[in-house]
Amino acid sequence: MKILDKYLLKTFLITFTTVFVILFFIFILQTVWLFIAELAGKDLDFALVIKFLMFSMPRIIPLVLPLSILLASIMSFGSLAENYEFAAMKSAGISLQRSMRGLTAFILLLSIVAFYFANNVIPFAEYKFINFRKNIAQVKPAMAIAEGQFSDVGDYNIKVNKKSGDNGSVLTGITIHKKSSVGDGSKTVIKAKDGKLVSSETSSILQLVLNDGNYYEDLVPKQYEDRIKMPFAKSAFKKYTLNIDLSQLNKVDVNENNIANTNTMLTINELSYTLDSLHKNLKSEIVSNSENINSRTGITSKNIVPKTVKEKEKPLPADILALYTNKQKLEILKMANSNTISTGYSIDATKVNFESKQKNINNHQLAFYDKFVIAYACFMMFFIGAPLGAIIRKGGLGLPIIFAVLIFISYHFINTFGKKIAQENGLSPFMGAWMSSFILTPLAILLTYRATNDIGLINMDIILSPFQKLFQKIFPSKK
C-alpha cells in the first residue's frame, strides 16, 4: 500500500506544482496590471521592481492555492479514472477512501502550512509592501506625483496631466488640493498651466515651482449667518513656489519599517488585542455621546417648572406651557427648536462616526476569520475536486478546467459578496467570512458520497422519469 500511496502522491504533486506555477504567474501579471501606474514611466530600477513584486506575491497565495488544489485534484483523479486505474484498485479491494488517505494527510499538512503562511508571512509581506509604496518617493522624489490621477503627497493632493523632462520633473496641467487641518475637506485649490519639480535626494522637501495659475481659497466667516454665502478668495500668479514636506513619507529607508498597522498586517494575537481595544473604545464613546446629548438639551426640572408651582407643590397640569406668558412660550419653543436641530445634527454626525468605527471592527474580524478560512478552503477544495474527477473520468486540461473555474468563481463570488455585506454590518463578520465555505461544504460531502458509492454525477433516470410518465399519459401505448 505504501507503493500506491507514493504513486498517487507523486501524480498529484506533479500536477499540483505545474498548475500552481501557471496560476501564480497569471495572478502576478494581474498584480502588475493593477499597479502599472506605479511602475511604468517612473524610471524605476529593476531591483526596485523586483522588490515591489516580491512584497506583493504573498497576497496572491489565498487565491492561487485553493484553485490549484481544486484543479490538480480534478485532473489527477480524472486521469486515473479515465485510464481505468481506479477500476484496477477496486478490483484489488482498494476503495476510493483508502486511495485518498495518503493525499488527505498531505492536504491536511498543506492546510496547516497555509494557515501559518496567512498568519505570519502575509501580514509581514503586507507590512513591507505598503511601507515600500509609501517610501518609494525617497528613492526618487519626483515619482511621488503620478500622471492623470490625484497623488497623496504630504499635505496636498496633486494631479498633473503630463510629466516630461528628466525623471518627469516638468509638469503640465497642474491641479492641487490642500488638505484642511481640521479634517473638513479641501478649502484651498491651486491650478497652474505648468510647473517644475525641484528636489534633492538628501532633502525631505519637494519644491514645486508653478507658472501662470490661480489660487482659490474658501473663507469661513466668524458669523454663522454669513457662511451660507460661501465666500472665497481668488488670486492669480505668474510664478508660485510650493514647498511640500515629504518627511512623513521619507522618515526611514525602504528597508526599514515606518507605517501604522492595518488589519491586513496583523497576526491572530495582534488582531485579538486590537479588536478588544476597538470594542471598548466604541462602547465608551457610545456612553459618552449619550450623556453629552442628554446634557446638551438644556432641559432640567429647574427651568421647566415655575417657582410658584414648586413653592405650592401643586401637581403639574397636562399643558405645561399654560403656566407661562406668551412671550415666555415663544422663548421656550425657540430654545426647544434650536436644541432639537442641534441635537439632530450631532446625532447624524455621530452616527456616521460610529458606522465608520463599526466598519473598521468588522474589517478586523474578517481579517481574523480569513486566516482560518484559507486553511479550510484547501481541505474543502480537495474533497470537491478529487471525487468530481473520479466521477467525470476526464483528465487533461479540457473538462476539468471548466468545472474548476465554475466552482472557484462561485466560491470567490460568494466569498466577496459575504465580506461586502459583513463590512456594511448587514451580516456578522463570522458568517460573511465563512459563507462560501458553508455553502460549498455540502457539495463536497455529496460528491464524496456519490464517488465512493459509484454513483454518477447526475442520475438521469430521476430527471427523465417525470417526462416519461407524462409522455405515456399523453400517448398511451396500444395493446
Side-chain angles (χ1 to χ4, degrees), residues 23-134:
L23 292 176
F24 194 79
F25 179 74
I26 293 173
F27 278 89
I28 282 293
L29 292 179
Q30 182 192 26
T31 302
V32 173
W33 179 257
L34 289 175
F35 295 101
I36 191 68
E38 298 187 31
L39 300 176
K42 293 189 176 181
D43 196 27
L44 280 173
D45 298 333
F46 181 74
L48 289 177
V49 175
I50 295 298
K51 201 171 187 179
F52 186 93
L53 294 177
M54 286 291 291
F55 291 152
S56 64
M57 283 180 183
R59 63 166 61 185
I60 302 172
I61 299 298
L63 287 174
V64 176
L65 190 58
L67 180 57
S68 300
I69 293 175
L70 176 64
L71 185 55
S73 301
I74 298 176
M75 292 174 62
S76 300
F77 281 74
S79 179
L80 292 171
E82 186 179 17
N83 295 325
Y84 299 100
E85 292 180 78
F86 274 136
M89 293 180 198
K90 291 177 182 178
S91 65
I94 302 173
S95 63
L96 180 63
Q97 299 98 314
R98 175 60 188 87
S99 61
M100 292 173 60
R101 188 180 299 173
L103 286 176
T104 302
F106 171 74
I107 295 298
L108 183 61
L109 177 63
L110 189 62
S111 300
I112 296 172
V113 173
F115 172 78
Y116 176 82
F117 190 88
N119 188 49
N120 296 277
V121 179
I122 292 179
F124 176 78
E126 195 73 12
Y127 188 93
K128 287 286 188 179
F129 179 69
I130 296 178
N131 185 67
F132 180 76
R133 290 175 61 195
K134 285 288 185 181

Side-chain angles (χ1 to χ4, degrees), residues 429-441:
F430 176 81
M431 288 299 300
W434 285 94
M435 181 185 290
S436 56
S437 299
F438 288 156
I439 292 176
L440 291 183
T441 296

Side-chain angles (χ1 to χ4, degrees), residues 188-479:
T188 303
V189 179
I190 304 172
K191 295 181 70 70
K193 183 179 179 181
D194 55 57
K196 186 175 182 180
L197 287 169
V198 180
S199 59
S200 172
E201 294 187 6
T202 59
S203 174
S204 62
I205 300 299
L206 181 63
Q207 202 171 58
L208 178 55
V209 181
L210 305 174
N211 302 316
D212 298 327
N214 295 288
Y215 185 97
Y216 307 88
E217 183 176 3
D218 291 335
L219 301 178
V220 182
K222 294 182 179 179
Q223 296 295 329
Y224 183 80
E225 293 78 8
D226 295 334
R227 295 182 184 180
I228 195 172
K229 300 177 183 179
M230 293 184 289
F232 69 95
K234 175 183 176 181
S235 62
F237 58 83
K238 288 292 183 180
K239 187 174 182 180
Y240 180 76
T241 301
L242 190 67
N243 293 319
I244 303 173
D245 185 12
L246 296 178
S247 59
Q248 296 299 319
L249 301 180
N250 302 334
K251 282 184 179 178
V252 293
D253 187 71
V254 294
N255 292 319
E256 298 177 11
N257 304 320
N258 182 39
I259 189 70
N261 288 334
T262 66
N263 53 356
T264 58
M265 302 179 191
L266 305 177
T267 63
I268 285 178
N269 293 334
E270 292 168 342
L271 282 168
S272 299
Y273 179 81
T274 304
L275 281 169
D276 185 61
S277 300
L278 290 175
H279 280 296
K280 288 181 179 178
N281 291 338
L282 181 60
K283 289 180 180 178
S284 63
E285 285 193 25
I286 291 174
V287 173
S288 175
N289 182 71
S290 62
E291 293 175 350
N292 183 41
I293 289 177
N294 185 53
S295 63
R296 286 178 59 183
T297 58
I299 300 175
T300 63
S301 60
K302 294 181 179 179
N303 56 25
I304 288 181
V305 184
K307 294 181 179 180
T308 57
V309 175
K310 291 181 183 178
E311 291 171 355
K312 297 179 180 180
E313 297 182 355
K314 295 181 179 180
L316 292 175
D319 185 8
I320 298 180
L321 288 176
L323 301 173
Y324 298 90
T325 64
N326 290 335
K327 184 178 180 181
Q328 290 174 330
K329 288 179 183 179
L330 183 61
E331 292 177 354
I332 291 172
L333 291 176
K334 283 184 178 180
M335 182 183 70
N337 183 58
S338 176
N339 285 336
T340 302
I341 294 174
S342 175
T343 303
Y345 285 140
S346 177
I347 290 174
D348 290 339
T350 305
K351 181 181 177 182
V352 173
N353 182 40
F354 286 165
E355 287 176 350
S356 176
K357 290 182 180 296
Q358 185 60 52
K359 187 175 181 179
N360 185 35
I361 291 175
N362 292 340
N363 286 330
H364 279 77
Q365 289 180 326
L366 286 171
F368 180 88
Y369 294 125
D370 273 345
K371 301 182 188 304
F372 297 94
V373 170
I374 177 62
Y376 180 75
C378 297
F379 198 73
M380 180 184 66
M381 288 299 177
F382 174 73
F383 278 94
I384 291 177
L388 185 59
I391 292 172
I392 64 177
R393 299 179 182 179
K394 287 289 182 182
L397 295 173
L399 193 60
I401 286 184
I402 296 175
F403 277 104
V405 169
L406 289 175
I407 293 171
F408 187 76
I409 288 177
S410 302
Y411 170 81
H412 187 62
F413 174 79
I414 296 170
N415 191 39
T416 304
F417 179 73
K419 287 182 179 179
K420 288 295 181 182
I421 295 178
Q423 284 176 351
E424 301 300 329
N425 215 30
L427 195 68
S428 68
F430 176 81
M431 288 299 300
W434 285 94
M435 181 185 290
S436 56
S437 299
F438 288 156
I439 292 176
L440 291 183
T441 296
L443 176 62
I445 296 172
L446 176 64
L447 290 175
T448 304
Y449 171 79
R450 298 184 75 88
T452 53
N453 290 277
D454 291 328
I455 305 174
L457 186 62
I458 300 175
N459 192 340
M460 296 303 295
D461 292 336
I462 297 176
I463 297 175
L464 296 177
S465 179
F467 296 100
Q468 290 175 352
K469 291 179 180 179
L470 180 63
F471 186 80
Q472 289 174 359
K473 288 182 179 179
I474 298 174
F475 303 103
S477 58
K478 295 181 181 180
K479 295 183 180 179

